[in-house]
Amino acid sequence: MDAPYQAAPDVHVYPANLPIPGVGVLPVNAYLLMAEEPVLIDTGIGVDGDDFIAAVSSIVDPQKLKWVWLTHDDADHTGSIQRIMDLAPNAKLVTHGFSAFRMATWWPVPMERVHAIRFGDELHVGDRALTAVAPPLYDSPMSMGVLDQSTGSLFSVDAFGAILPEPTQDASDVPPEALAGGMLGWATSDSPWAHIVDRERFSQVLDRVRQLQPTRIFSSLLPAASGTSLDAFLKVLETVPDAEPFMPPDSHQFAQMIAAMAEMQRGSTP
């Protein structure tokens, strides 16, 4: 886990950057929204468990957490979910109902604490209301984005994720061509169904996102970005249906990647 940072007056970021040898890094973020009733959005990756718990606790006492918004139940979002729910007995788990059922296959989800949501539902967290929104691209049908109605912050789940040349805390630090290429590469690998969508209906989906007019964009897989970047991001997504399909590594290529990762780890060891 990398050092947490504050991306807005009320938003703290808990970042990790997963190395992809020969390509770059994939950011993986969880967020803490400091509303009157604090909201933790996702819980990081499993290997960062102790560091993640310490980072969250350094900003808010888990006992004071009121809500844990789980955007979906993939492993890079649920790393510390059980520990967080144990440490935050006053928190409700906000998520797609089927995410709760699926997670119950590997940990004893306290179903009485689950607040199931659907697109369009509002969650009132003291000083503001949060709206569940559909991300334009996703790898899980359980994905639930968040729009903070008071500030315009959009938490876009995996949408707008990108493989980047190196870690950064602001998407504007990435050269535009590298950002667009990394975003397209991620989109084609994470949402391969986009190659078979009806183009007109997909345009309507993107238009609905455009109408949200966010002030800030907080993707689970991209550094924090200004809302002014939205049009550029959507232009990249418009090209996904006609882009070259992603090809995963074969066994030989995978072995090369593992060897490169091992070499990187040796090089970073003091």
Side-chain angles (χ1 to χ4, degrees):
M1 180 177 173
D2 294 350
Y5 63 95
Q6 191 167 356
D10 57 351
V11 177
H12 296 265
V13 187
Y14 301 110
N17 285 279
L18 305 182
I20 303 177
V23 181
V25 297
L26 177 66
V28 178
N29 304 314
Y31 296 96
L32 178 64
L33 178 61
M34 289 302 292
E36 182 179 340
E37 298 176 358
V39 184
L40 181 65
I41 301 176
D42 291 335
T43 64
I45 57 178
V47 294
D48 288 339
D50 291 342
D51 291 339
F52 183 84
I53 297 296
V56 172
S57 301
S58 71
I59 298 172
V60 63
D61 181 346
Q63 297 268 346
K64 295 181 179 179
L65 271 178
K66 295 298 184 181
W67 308 95
V68 178
W69 187 302
L70 192 68
T71 60
H72 60 302
D73 58 310
D74 283 357
D76 54 332
H77 301 257
T78 61
S80 295
I81 185 62
Q82 184 171 2
R83 292 179 65 182
I84 285 289
M85 293 302 291
D86 287 343
L87 292 169
N90 300 310
K92 290 280 191 177
L93 176 59
V94 185
T95 195
H96 190 297
F98 288 173
S99 282
F101 287 143
R102 295 208 315 178
M103 286 189 294
T105 64
W106 61 270
W107 73 282
V109 177
M111 293 297 179
E112 72 282 0
R113 296 171 62 191
V114 172
H115 181 90
I117 50 171
R118 300 181 295 187
F119 300 135
D121 286 355
E122 289 189 358
L123 180 72
H124 294 270
V125 294
D127 59 344
R128 68 193 73 188
L130 310 179
T131 302
V133 297
L137 290 179
Y138 51 86
D139 59 9
S140 167
M142 270 63 90
S143 296
M144 288 281 179
V146 187
L147 179 67
D148 183 341
Q149 295 183 15
S150 70
T151 64
S153 292
L154 174 64
F155 298 85
S156 62
V157 201
D158 291 354
F160 311 128
I163 301 168
L164 304 178
E166 59 187 6
T168 181
Q169 294 183 357
D170 196 306
S172 65
D173 294 335
V174 185
E177 288 188 4
L179 181 59
M183 192 174 292
L184 182 61
W186 174 253
T188 55
S189 64
D190 193 56
S191 304
W193 54 264
H195 293 299
I196 58 173
V197 297
D198 178 282
R199 304 301 196 269
E200 182 176 347
R201 296 184 68 178
F202 187 54
S203 293
Q204 293 172 358
V205 168
L206 299 184
D207 283 341
R208 285 196 292 272
V209 175
R210 188 175 286 111
Q211 291 167 12
L212 296 176
Q213 298 183 323
T215 57
R216 298 284 287 168
I217 299 170
F218 298 111
S219 170
S220 299
L221 304 174
L222 184 77
S226 168
T228 58
S229 302
L230 182 64
D231 280 342
F233 290 178
L234 292 176
K235 285 180 181 178
V236 174
L237 266 55
E238 286 174 353
T239 69
V240 173
D242 298 311
E244 190 72 23
F246 170 75
M247 289 294 292
D250 61 21
S251 60
H252 177 67
Q253 293 166 330
F254 184 75
Q256 290 180 319
M257 291 177 67
I258 296 302
M261 290 175 70
E263 185 63 31
M264 291 170 62
Q265 291 174 346
R266 285 194 291 269
S268 63
T269 301

